[in-house]
Amino acid sequence: MVTLQAGSVGSPVAIAGTVGLFALFLSITAHIAARNVLGDVEVKKAFVVGPLPATIAVVSTAFGLNPFLAILTALVVDATAISLLYGRSRRLTAYVTAIHVVVSILLGTVLFGLAFLLASAPG
């Protein structure tokens, strides 16, 4: 039986907000990745890709599951969604998924750094 981590789970509104913002972030980075690899693609397809890994991340964190298993599961779900939505070969799907990971890490690092700088500003 898996139990929730003590003290790490907030209100349902906070959890929904976290999933929603993370899903929006991953949707934007999925669109950037798909656009860079595939060219002109529909934005609405990316909004299907983003919520799936975001939900996996929040649920695995809330239940204290193995983070490596959660990352692997999120990558597989991400690749499956990209494959089904864009209808490309496995090789191209793997490439779009890899670019999605890279763009998410880079943009997340920049945004986190900016937030840290703003939070630590004097005054």
Side-chain angles (χ1 to χ4, degrees):
M1 173 172 245
V2 179
T3 58
L4 290 173
Q5 293 178 352
S8 66
V9 179
S11 70
V13 174
I15 294 170
T18 301
V19 172
L21 284 175
F22 194 39
L24 178 63
F25 173 77
L26 290 176
S27 295
I28 291 168
T29 58
H31 180 66
I32 291 170
R35 188 165 172 90
N36 283 327
V37 175
L38 304 175
D40 192 24
V41 293
E42 296 180 49
V43 177
K44 62 183 174 182
K45 289 183 179 181
F47 285 105
V48 176
V49 176
L52 302 172
T55 303
I56 291 169
V58 172
V59 166
S60 67
T61 301
F63 286 101
L65 302 177
N66 185 345
F68 297 110
L69 182 63
I71 290 170
L72 181 63
T73 304
L75 283 173
V76 168
V77 168
D78 192 35
T80 303
I82 289 170
S83 176
L84 293 173
L85 289 169
Y86 296 105
R88 306 298 176 152
S89 67
R90 288 184 184 181
R91 187 175 198 176
L92 200 53
T93 297
Y95 188 57
V96 173
T97 304
I99 297 299
H100 184 206
V101 170
V102 170
V103 169
S104 297
I105 290 170
L106 291 175
L107 188 59
T109 302
V110 169
L111 291 176
F112 179 77
L114 183 63
F116 182 76
L117 284 174
L118 291 174
S120 66

